[in-house]
Amino acid sequence: MLVVGFPAGPLEANCYLLAPGGGECVIVDPGEEAAEPIEAALAEHGLTPVAMLATHGHPDHVASAGEVGARHGIPLYLHEADRPLLGQDAGQRKDGIVPLVDGPLRLAGLEITVSGTPGHTAGSVVFGLTSAEGGRIVLTGDSLFAGSIGRSSGDGGELVRSLGAKVMTLPDDTVVLPGHGPATTIGQERAANPFLAGTGA
């Protein structure tokens, strides 16, 4: 599996391109100032995007969705609960949004597991994938970071409960690709993340 990631915008939100190897790909979190770096990465790796996926609806993760979607004629997959967060700055056509629901999603030859993790926003999700070689990754958006967790949009315990039920049940060797900052693993976070002490992980 090919994973290309880079930070973009003033908040340095991580944007990712995922592909089975070459050819078609999906774009995860096309945020602020991400359009041109996305084009450069597509050209460098010979990739054609078929869809954009959003871990949640905050501008630093979706602001370039309108521009990228119009350029390539591709939709944005976003949980329905976060649709109200899309401002005009996202430039995203309402008919260009596909609602995300829990379960499997097959795009660009990838089998992606969508799991709702409300807490950072009502519609926050994580995306799980397993490579052909058996490696596991999970893209956690602003729910889980290396050594920390995201801010909660409401009930402070909701995010921790979501992580305990949907993320910390993954195997220790699962690579975590967060919405900001460096990659980590489930095992590392289970052992050292102080915010997860109450999850039973």
Side-chain angles (χ1 to χ4, degrees):
M1 183 190 308
L2 175 65
V3 180
V4 179
F6 55 86
L11 297 181
E12 298 190 329
N14 291 328
C15 177
Y16 299 97
L17 280 63
L18 308 175
E24 293 185 336
C25 73
V26 296
I27 300 166
V28 180
D29 286 354
E32 294 169 321
E33 301 176 11
E36 292 313 312
I38 286 171
E39 293 307 311
L42 292 172
E44 178 182 352
H45 297 280
L47 299 172
T48 301
V50 300
M52 299 171 289
L53 307 179
T55 58
H56 63 291
H58 284 157
D60 57 323
H61 292 263
V62 298
S64 293
E67 181 178 350
V68 175
R71 183 176 293 179
H72 295 281
I74 58 175
L76 173 68
Y77 286 70
L78 175 77
H79 194 284
E80 191 69 22
D82 272 12
R83 184 186 287 251
L85 298 179
L86 290 182
Q88 291 186 349
D89 58 336
Q92 184 64 40
R93 303 187 323 273
K94 297 303 182 185
D95 61 354
I97 299 174
V98 179
L100 280 173
V101 295
D102 278 25
L105 180 65
R106 188 163 182 82
L107 292 167
L110 298 168
E111 191 76 32
I112 302 165
T113 301
V114 181
S115 299
T117 53
H120 179 65
T121 65
S124 288
V125 303
V126 300
F127 302 114
L129 300 93
T130 302
S131 71
E133 300 76 26
R136 302 179 184 87
I137 66 172
V138 60
L139 295 97
T140 56
D142 287 2
S143 294
L144 177 65
F145 306 123
S148 187
I149 63 174
R151 290 174 289 108
S152 175
S153 59
D155 176 2
E158 184 177 31
L159 177 55
V160 172
R161 289 191 294 271
S162 290
L163 290 171
K166 301 290 186 69
V167 178
M168 300 313 296
T169 54
L170 296 170
D172 281 353
D173 62 356
T174 304
V175 175
V176 176
L177 301 178
H180 299 267
T184 182
T185 66
I186 292 295
Q188 185 172 337
E189 298 314 301
R190 197 188 315 278
N193 191 317
F195 297 93
L196 299 175
T199 64

